[in-house]
Amino acid sequence: MSPELAPVLRGMPAAASRTARLDRDLLALADGVADAGQRARLAELVQLLATPDAARRCTHGSTRRTTQRPTTRGSPSSPPN
């Protein structure tokens, strides 16, 4: 684990779910194969996304996209011709 990413992961809550553990493992893998510049950028992005506001925005956007009904012709939500 690089010095750039280690403090970021230490500041995050413990991986309580299987998905959270997988995310941490993938971050560690990406960190291990990245060059110095990429590691710094990865740590910066993870730190940014780990903030409560960023998590809320990501969740809201994902929820909105998955709950939108399709409006293509022939879908249940399109008006009849």
Side-chain angles (χ1 to χ4, degrees):
M1 182 76 47
S2 72
E4 296 90 358
L5 191 59
V8 176
L9 292 180
R10 275 195 298 273
M12 295 173 76
S17 72
R18 182 174 167 219
T19 302
R21 286 189 299 275
L22 179 60
D23 287 345
R24 288 170 95 78
D25 289 346
L26 290 173
L27 286 170
L29 176 64
D31 183 67
V33 299
D35 65 34
Q38 292 169 324
R39 280 194 301 272
R41 182 69 178 137
L42 177 63
E44 181 183 316
L45 289 172
V46 171
Q47 189 170 21
L48 175 67
L49 292 172
T51 64
D53 287 341
R56 192 173 17 263
R57 284 191 305 271
C58 289
T59 302
H60 176 70
S62 297
T63 302
R64 187 181 67 239
R65 285 189 298 277
T66 58
T67 58
Q68 288 176 340
R69 296 180 66 153
T71 57
T72 59
R73 184 181 177 111
S75 74
S77 61
S78 64
N81 291 340

